[in-house]
């Protein structure tokens, strides 16, 4: 009898071959509508997708939304209309490698590049001298931290979900985040134009942001600790990436001047999708307090 690993290997090869040739799923009507309502700008020969909606009359406030991993600007779909009722302009982009933006291969994906893309979008839209509010989630939090380190002006308000990375908890966080990411990939890759996640090199290149967080922890957490702009955290207690209550205790210890909104006990890592009303109310209460 052949060794078990030989049998598994012989079975895996044809299954992998079939999987690699499965066509990508068709976009849903909602995603088609999302794409059709957006536009593209060019950043270093890469086409970057973004949405820019004109909202509340009489308001001059602008909010830029930074999505997480492994998703896209569509993460904000459930609160988009609510934001347009408060802000004059609501803007979101797909980072390079995500959503409807280009996915170059081979490519060294980095948080630094994504922050530069946000700066490029601000220039493209002629907003360099405007007050900008940032609303970020997950991967986008680290991009926001890099922007804060660069002192993008006049940056005013921040909302962060997972901003603090304690050294002792890093390996636990990495394992939990990888688990969330791999689970989410199967559900959310339909938002991607190609099939990038079937290329291991592409996936590992994108996932380097986890190592970048560890390498540049002092730079990015330090940017939060020295920030002169208001900070706010909206937190779902069931979030496996940022376990309760340890994460909240660490956050308050590192950033004692930041305000915090804790949502209902059943809310997890995607509060803007799981509880859009509670999330939106928490964010607007923070914004309207100034």
């Amino acid at each position: 009898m052949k060794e078990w690993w030989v049998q598994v290997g012989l079975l895996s090869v044809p299954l992998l071959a079939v999987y690699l040739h499965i066509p990508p799923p068709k976009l849903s009507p909602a995603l088609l509508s999302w794409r059709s309502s957006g536009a593209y700008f060019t950043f270093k020969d890469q086409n970057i997708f973004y949405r820019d909606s004109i909202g509340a009359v009489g308001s001059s406030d602008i909010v830029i939304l930074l999505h997480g991993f492994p998703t896209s600007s569509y993460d904000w779909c459930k609160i988009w209309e609510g934001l347009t009722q408060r802000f004059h302009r609501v803007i979101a982009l797909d980072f390079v490698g995500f959503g409807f933006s280009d996915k170059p291969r081979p490519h060294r994906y980095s948080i630094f590049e994504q922050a530069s893309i946000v700066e490029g979008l601000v220039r493209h839209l002629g907003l360099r001298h405007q007050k900008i509010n940032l609303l970020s989630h997950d991967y986008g939090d680290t991009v926001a931290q890099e922007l804060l380190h660069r002192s993008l002006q006049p940056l005013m308000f921040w909302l962060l979900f997972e901003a603090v990375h304690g050294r002792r908890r890093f390996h636990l966080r990495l394992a939990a985040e990888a688990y969330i990411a791999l689970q989410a990939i199967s559900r959310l890759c339909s938002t991607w134009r190609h099939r990038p996640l079937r290329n291991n090199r592409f996936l590992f290149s994108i996932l380097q942001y986890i190592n970048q967080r560890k390498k540049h922890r002092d730079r990015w957490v330090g940017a939060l600790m020295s920030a002169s702009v208001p900070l706010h955290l909206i937190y779902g207690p069931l979030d496996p990436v940022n376990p309760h209550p340890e994460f909240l205790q660490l956050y308050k210890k590192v950033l004692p001047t930041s305000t915090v909104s804790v949502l209902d006990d059943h809310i997890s890592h995607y509060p803007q999708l799981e509880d859009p009303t509670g999330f939106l109310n928490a964010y607007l209460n923070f914004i309207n307090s100034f």
Side-chain angles (χ1 to χ4, degrees), residues 17-209:
V18 171
Y19 174 72
L20 291 174
H21 288 85
I22 297 175
K26 293 182 179 180
L27 295 179
S28 68
L31 284 172
L32 288 171
S33 175
W34 188 264
R35 183 175 63 181
S36 66
S37 63
Y40 291 86
F41 81 103
T42 301
F43 180 86
K44 294 185 177 180
D45 299 324
Q46 305 298 338
N47 293 316
I48 305 299
F49 175 83
Y50 70 95
R51 288 192 73 192
D52 180 8
S53 293
I54 302 298
V57 176
S59 171
S60 60
D61 291 345
I62 300 165
V63 62
I64 295 180
L65 315 176
L66 306 180
H67 69 80
F69 176 93
T71 54
S72 71
S73 58
Y74 192 69
D75 269 4
W76 307 106
C77 64
K78 289 188 176 182
I79 64 168
W80 193 270
E81 183 177 352
L83 290 173
T84 62
Q85 295 174 15
R86 169 59 178 79
F87 292 93
H88 174 59
R89 292 175 74 171
V90 180
I91 300 163
L93 76 159
D94 290 346
F95 293 124
V96 65
F98 296 79
F100 296 121
S101 291
D102 282 352
K103 302 165 187 67
R105 292 184 253 173
H107 188 75
R108 282 192 168 188
Y109 292 91
S110 75
I111 294 298
F112 300 100
E113 177 187 39
Q114 306 289 19
S116 295
I117 289 173
V118 176
E119 291 178 323
L121 178 59
V122 168
R123 290 192 298 270
H124 174 75
L125 297 175
L127 301 176
R128 293 183 66 183
H129 302 295
Q130 300 293 317
K131 182 177 74 173
I132 295 174
N133 304 279
L134 285 184
L135 177 57
S136 64
H137 175 228
D138 186 81
Y139 183 95
D141 291 342
T142 313
V143 178
Q145 287 169 258
E146 172 58 21
L147 289 169
L148 182 58
H149 178 82
R150 297 180 188 186
S151 298
L152 181 65
Q153 295 296 331
L155 203 56
M156 294 298 292
F157 301 112
W158 295 73
L159 180 143
L160 303 163
F161 297 152
E162 67 174 284
V164 184
H165 312 294
R167 296 181 189 275
R168 291 175 300 171
R169 301 197 62 82
F170 180 78
H171 295 293
L172 172 61
R173 284 177 44 75
L174 188 150
E177 184 157 321
Y179 174 74
I180 291 294
L182 292 174
Q183 270 204 327
I185 282 168
S186 63
R187 300 195 306 270
L188 299 168
C189 66
S190 61
T191 69
W192 295 38
R193 293 164 64 191
H194 308 299
R195 288 175 286 173
L197 293 176
R198 296 176 186 175
N199 184 316
N200 285 339
R201 290 183 181 178
F202 179 91
L203 177 57
F204 291 143
S205 180
I206 288 283
L207 284 172
Q208 285 304 306
Y209 81 92

Side-chain angles (χ1 to χ4, degrees), residues 261-282:
S261 295
V262 179
L263 301 181
D264 291 343
D265 290 344
H266 66 281
I267 304 302
S268 182
H269 189 64
Y270 288 89
Q272 74 275 38
L273 296 174
E274 299 170 49
D275 183 13
T277 299
F279 176 91
L280 185 62
N281 287 339

